[in-house]
Amino acid sequence: MLKVVENLKVLYRYRVLIQSLISRELKARYRGTVLGFLWSFINPLLLMIIYTIVFGFIIGPRDPAFGSNRVLYALFLFCGVLPWSWFSSSSIESANILMIQGNLIKKVLFPAEILPVVVVTSNFIHFLFGLPILLAAKLLIILFVPQAPPFSLYLALLPLVMFVQFVFSLGFGFLISSLTVHFRDIKDILSNLLTFWFFATPIIYPMTFPAIQQSNLFRFFLNLNPMTHIIQGYHDTLFAGRPPDWLHLGGTLLFALLLFWAGHTVFDRLRDSFPEEV
Amino acid sequence: MYAIDVDNVTRIYQKYSARHRFQTFKSALLKGDFLRALRPDELVMALDGVSLKIEKGQTFGIIGENGSGKSTLLKVVAGIAKPSSGRVRTQGKVSALIELGAGFHPEITGRENVTINGIMLGLSKKEIHQKFDEIVRFAELEEFIDAPVKTYSSGMYMRLGFSVAINVNPDILLIDEVLAVGDASFVPKCLDRIDDFRRRKKTILFVSHDLPTVAKICDKVAWMKGGKLMMVGEPKRVVDAYLQDVTVKQEEKFEERSKAIDLEQKFEEERRENRWGDRAVEIKKVRLLSLKGVEKHVFAPEEGMVVEMEVESPALVKDFVFGVGVFNSQGVACYGTNTSLEDYVPVSFRGRGIVAFRIGRLGLINGTYYLDLAVHKKDGYPFDYLRNLYSFLVSSTDRDEGIARLPHDWSFSPKIRIRPPKTGGKARVNPSTPRHECRGLLRVNPEPRFSSPPLKAGLSVGERVKKAETPGNPKNAVKKNKKR
């Protein structure tokens, strides 16, 4: 446990480097594109439109919670998809980052744990860019759809949910990035796992869905998934405007911290092998 | 107080054979030998109990063959690789020039890359801001600094990388062979910068294959072989000892090769190409000897050589000429003669005999040389002609150019203040031979008297050394004098 604290200090010492690597990442991502930073807004917008068309209009909301209001369902979807894409792209990028930046690890004295931190944080910033779109969409929907849940003070708890997800993503990122150095096929396993994970998380369906409520087995498994509670947190604070489920969110935070510790420990143990293996 | 203290450091690399190495979860899980597979098949000792103490302000060179552990040692000192056992202590800020521009991002501008690279190397943002202009000026990239790095040429990339790294202003500078890629004007500039470091009493650890540079700029040199320190000490002596070792190795290689060129077993095809004649008189065997009669293939320029041919003529011949020609690796004839040109008059020969061609002093420069050996009639009709079947190597630390070393000497009138080279080297490549006549380190520009293309190719390496040393460049000459 002490080791983790020690290493957090290292991260703090290198904060300027982390900061400039993140800004480099953000700058480089849209360098050369015509729309530039606008893509950070356009991407989630397009995503929302696709989900709305497919799940709102073609398949249609089947949950009584939304009545038959497609727009409301689209908002619900967006509240889950946005944080999910933060998590999934952080994980996929983490899996590759040590190999991509292998030159740094091999040729420069460079604390490798910075790299997953940069990945998770820069994706977090992209997530933040999408947030205004989400809030604007919610505002519009409140204006035009009478049964839409209004903004509430619980929105202020959103950062807490983000924090839980941040810790969880980082822990997962540490674990994935260090293991992928030795097992290259984690990359492929991961992309499949994430598809499965996406559907095993209440993003396109609410937990209140009848099929889930009727089956103890489903509920049990969904509750085992930490992302369930994180996404639920977003749904609660952002969509429904109610307090999050403190017990579940707290438990998830504990689990996230544990994963962070475990991920970091694995990372630390494998650290010396990176320069040879990447 | 030592700047770098390497204490009994061993670094073991794990070498996994492809067969055992699990690449995938599947194989690891299926075989159930998850942990067993993690154990390597073979261990490679990159460093084997290396202890080294480098004083503050010293310029310390490391030489050795490829794979002798030089770079690993540098990485261990830099902290990039951890020692498997032992300890490394360093005093002060370390900057490693292991790969220039490692970590540049191609998509963003040179300006942004300088900032990030500087931070990576341990500068603060403020320091980078202060040094920014100097970094750009040194890299000669004023015009391009706002262009994305991906548009840079490799030279520009390298210059920017070097410029950032050198401006980190470390107490200890680690340099790994990075100067090998610079162009003719940038390398002297880098060497100048390194000189500057030396004057300011910073510690430099310098890994290079460029032995003359090592001998020139280092205060002390270590020679590594197979992960072990073979020798530490005065540059010239260590370099010579290393060369001696290389010579022995080359000698072995030559021996192997000459075994293959056993005339009796020569491949028919190659024989047709490189050997012709009716064999009325046949060259049965050829040996290259030192003046003392020891068979060898690697010679110092001052050494002599004996080419010994065993010839056989079953029938009586009355018209025969023995000839020898020496060619360098570019095919330029360095020397050729035969008994007829020197007015030997053949009388008669039958049976077996030995012809010895004795060269009192080779006087050739560094390089591989090939021999043409022949027996023919006076009118040129060949009995046996061997083309390039035998070769020898001339090896020395001198950097002169051309085809042959003319015996020479330098003298200067009193007004010309010039210092003779350091004469630390007692152990020459071949200790038995006398020191050659080259007295001055500063040389005039060798005129390319022979305008054959190979000579031009040979110039490229020497050129940049020349730039820094020719008397035509007074600034450098003065600097050098101060140093000595």
Side-chain angles (χ1 to χ4, degrees):
Chain A
M1 213 63 193
L2 264 174
K3 194 107 202 241
V4 174
V5 176
E6 199 74 16
N7 282 298
L8 283 177
K9 274 189 201 151
V10 171
L11 290 181
Y12 181 72
R13 215 173 58 228
Y14 280 93
R15 64 194 178 282
V16 184
L17 180 57
I18 294 177
Q19 191 189 321
S20 43
L21 282 174
I22 290 168
S23 76
R24 177 179 90 170
E25 213 49 55
L26 296 177
K27 273 180 198 159
R29 179 167 301 189
Y30 298 123
R31 185 58 55 97
T33 58
V34 179
L35 294 175
F37 260 105
L38 276 180
W39 277 112
S40 293
F41 300 105
I42 295 170
N43 280 332
L45 200 63
L46 288 176
L47 199 65
M48 187 173 80
I49 291 170
I50 293 167
Y51 276 89
T52 308
I53 291 171
V54 174
F55 291 102
F57 290 83
I58 298 176
I59 298 177
R62 305 238 299 268
D63 189 78
F66 310 109
S68 55
N69 198 309
R70 292 149 201 273
V71 184
L72 205 57
Y73 177 63
L75 183 68
F76 170 83
L77 267 181
F78 199 28
C79 286
V81 168
L82 202 62
W84 174 263
S85 58
W86 167 23
F87 173 71
S88 71
S89 46
S90 308
S91 306
I92 288 176
E93 283 175 37
S94 291
N96 289 317
I97 192 69
L98 292 183
M99 265 80 76
I100 291 172
Q101 302 285 7
N103 229 3
L104 286 183
I105 299 171
K106 273 189 280 193
K107 307 290 164 82
V108 185
L109 183 53
F110 184 88
E113 63 256 56
I114 283 183
L115 294 172
V117 174
V118 168
V119 165
V120 172
T121 315
S122 62
N123 277 298
F124 172 59
I125 289 168
H126 278 286
F127 165 74
L128 289 183
F129 280 131
L131 217 48
I133 304 270
L134 179 59
L135 292 174
K138 184 175 162 78
L139 188 69
L140 271 178
I141 290 165
I142 288 171
L143 290 179
F144 292 103
V145 182
Q147 75 260 46
F151 281 112
S152 81
L153 274 180
Y154 292 114
L155 195 62
L157 290 174
L158 191 61
L160 183 73
V161 182
M162 291 183 205
F163 175 71
V164 176
Q165 189 184 346
F166 195 91
V167 175
F168 181 72
S169 303
L170 205 54
F172 193 63
F174 277 138
L175 193 67
I176 287 292
S177 59
S178 54
L179 286 178
T180 310
V181 172
H182 290 271
F183 304 98
R184 297 291 159 109
D185 27 9
I186 285 184
K187 264 184 289 187
D188 300 291
I189 295 174
L190 188 67
S191 57
N192 288 303
L193 177 75
L194 282 170
T195 311
F196 168 74
W197 202 339
F198 174 78
F199 288 105
T201 306
I203 296 170
I204 60 169
Y205 52 85
M207 275 298 268
T208 52
F209 205 76
I212 298 168
Q213 286 305 317
Q214 282 156 20
S215 159
N216 283 331
L217 195 68
F218 271 155
R219 268 216 317 282
F220 176 71
F221 275 112
L222 282 178
N223 277 326
L224 276 185
N225 173 6
M227 280 309 283
T228 298
H229 307 297
I230 291 170
I231 297 294
Q232 285 276 67
Y234 287 101
H235 284 155
D236 286 337
T237 55
L238 206 55
F239 178 76
R242 57 170 182 247
D245 185 334
W246 289 111
L247 194 66
H248 282 164
L249 197 63
T252 308
L253 178 61
L254 270 184
F255 179 78
L257 287 170
L258 201 69
L259 183 71
F260 183 85
W261 172 77
H264 196 282
T265 309
V266 170
F267 192 92
D268 207 44
R269 285 288 289 276
L270 294 175
R271 178 197 305 274
D272 290 344
S273 66
F274 294 160
E276 293 166 57
E277 297 285 337
V278 292
Chain B
M1 184 48 71
Y2 295 106
I4 302 171
D5 183 359
V6 178
D7 184 21
N8 197 20
V9 164
T10 299
R11 169 74 206 188
I12 297 168
Y13 280 113
Q14 306 178 340
K15 189 165 141 194
Y16 303 90
S17 75
R19 188 170 42 84
H20 264 110
R21 176 94 172 89
F22 61 88
Q23 287 286 352
T24 61
F25 262 141
K26 194 194 86 194
S27 64
L29 292 175
L30 278 185
K31 285 182 198 155
D33 55 1
F34 194 85
L35 287 173
R36 203 177 339 137
L38 272 172
R39 243 178 284 144
D41 290 343
E42 208 180 314
L43 298 175
V44 177
M45 286 265 210
L47 293 176
D48 188 358
V50 171
S51 293
L52 201 60
K53 291 190 191 335
I54 298 172
E55 278 164 42
K56 210 162 164 274
Q58 240 177 12
T59 301
F60 199 98
I62 301 176
I63 56 174
E65 285 163 62
N66 288 328
S68 56
K70 305 185 298 289
S71 295
T72 307
L73 178 62
L74 215 61
K75 279 185 184 174
V76 166
V77 172
I80 296 168
K82 298 263 175 317
S84 307
S85 74
R87 210 159 37 154
V88 177
R89 262 167 303 190
T90 51
Q91 284 272 322
K93 188 150 80 176
V94 181
S95 177
L97 297 182
I98 290 179
E99 189 174 293
L100 296 173
F104 277 177
H105 194 297
E107 292 286 346
I108 63 176
T109 65
R111 183 182 298 274
E112 290 159 328
N113 268 313
V114 166
T115 312
I116 291 179
N117 211 234
I119 292 172
M120 260 179 220
L121 297 176
L123 288 177
S124 72
K125 270 193 168 160
K126 210 175 122 204
E127 285 171 300
I128 294 167
H129 193 71
Q130 285 166 355
K131 288 177 178 173
F132 188 80
D133 289 338
E134 163 64 18
I135 291 172
V136 177
R137 195 168 350 106
F138 187 80
E140 300 163 18
L141 283 174
E142 289 94 338
E143 287 170 58
F144 306 103
I145 195 66
D146 284 315
V149 164
K150 67 177 174 188
T151 62
Y152 285 18
S153 73
S154 53
M156 288 155 80
Y157 195 88
M158 196 215 76
R159 292 203 307 261
L160 194 60
F162 184 88
S163 189
V164 176
I166 200 92
N167 275 294
V168 167
N169 200 12
D171 303 305
I172 300 170
L173 184 66
L174 312 174
I175 306 173
D176 187 2
E177 206 58 73
V178 289
L179 298 179
V181 283
D183 64 13
S185 73
F186 194 65
V187 168
K189 223 167 123 180
C190 297
L191 287 176
D192 258 15
R193 228 352 137 75
I194 292 169
D195 263 358
D196 204 46
F197 256 76
R198 282 157 47 91
R199 266 200 299 282
R200 283 187 288 153
K201 291 284 163 218
K202 308 264 184 173
T203 314
I204 302 174
L205 190 58
F206 185 71
V207 168
S208 182
H209 289 289
D210 183 3
L211 298 179
T213 307
V214 168
K216 198 176 74 188
I217 73 170
C218 293
D219 303 314
K220 229 175 173 188
V221 172
W223 161 31
M224 290 190 71
K225 188 179 179 184
K228 286 194 174 102
L229 275 185
M230 297 297 285
M231 193 176 172
V232 181
E234 198 270 326
K236 189 87 178 133
R237 250 186 56 223
V238 178
V239 167
D240 280 341
Y242 167 57
L243 277 180
Q244 180 85 52
D245 185 67
V246 171
T247 309
V248 170
K249 222 179 187 180
Q250 281 168 335
E251 187 73 53
E252 279 164 13
K253 245 185 241 161
F254 259 84
E255 244 158 57
E256 255 168 51
R257 210 167 354 137
S258 53
K259 258 180 217 147
I261 322 178
D262 201 348
L263 280 186
E264 320 288 331
Q265 296 160 15
K266 202 78 186 110
F267 291 121
E268 200 56 44
E269 216 168 294
E270 213 174 309
R271 191 186 291 179
R272 223 176 297 131
E273 238 173 73
N274 291 325
R275 190 175 186 190
W276 59 85
D278 67 0
R279 309 274 174 91
V281 181
E282 193 178 345
I283 300 173
K284 299 295 264 187
K285 200 176 164 194
V286 177
R287 294 200 302 162
L288 302 184
L289 308 169
S290 73
L291 291 183
K292 286 179 177 164
V294 183
E295 196 164 346
K296 64 187 286 186
H297 301 88
V298 182
F299 295 84
E302 310 82 30
E303 252 181 297
M305 182 170 94
V306 178
V307 183
E308 202 183 77
M309 290 185 272
E310 216 176 295
V311 287
E312 188 182 45
S313 166
L316 185 76
V317 283
K318 292 192 165 165
D319 177 6
F320 53 90
V321 176
F322 298 105
V324 175
V326 179
F327 294 79
N328 68 14
S329 54
Q330 283 106 30
V332 176
C334 302
Y335 188 69
T337 187
N338 64 34
T339 49
S340 165
L341 290 174
E342 296 185 16
D343 292 332
Y344 285 88
V345 182
V347 182
S348 70
F349 171 47
R350 186 181 180 175
R352 271 182 177 256
I354 284 180
V355 179
F357 179 71
R358 186 177 180 281
I359 305 169
R361 182 180 163 282
L362 276 169
L364 293 166
I365 61 156
N366 254 332
T368 307
Y369 293 85
Y370 296 90
L371 285 171
D372 270 19
L373 304 168
V375 197
H376 53 83
K377 284 191 185 170
K378 263 189 172 171
D379 61 7
Y381 176 81
F383 291 130
D384 199 358
Y385 202 107
L386 310 184
R387 160 141 289 176
N388 291 356
L389 282 181
Y390 292 89
S391 56
F392 63 95
L393 200 74
V394 173
S395 161
S396 80
T397 42
D398 297 299
R399 288 165 297 173
D400 40 11
E401 289 173 30
I403 287 179
R405 169 173 298 137
L406 305 181
H408 61 279
D409 210 336
W410 292 90
S411 59
F412 306 94
S413 66
K415 271 267 164 102
I416 302 169
R417 296 193 51 201
I418 185 166
R419 256 172 243 228
K422 272 196 266 190
T423 47
K426 274 166 207 105
R428 302 285 306 163
V429 175
N430 187 333
S432 64
T433 53
R435 271 186 70 77
H436 65 88
E437 297 84 346
C438 176
R439 285 251 154 268
L441 214 145
L442 302 181
R443 270 182 282 272
V444 286
N445 250 331
E447 287 297 328
R449 230 170 294 194
F450 307 90
S451 56
S452 55
L455 229 143
K456 245 183 243 156
L459 273 176
S460 58
V461 181
E463 198 121 49
R464 46 172 210 254
V465 182
K466 233 160 40 202
K467 272 237 165 74
E469 285 185 358
T470 39
N473 192 342
K475 195 180 129 227
N476 279 325
V478 168
K479 208 174 273 170
K480 186 172 308 301
N481 284 347
K482 240 186 254 168
K483 215 166 54 204
R484 306 224 158 193

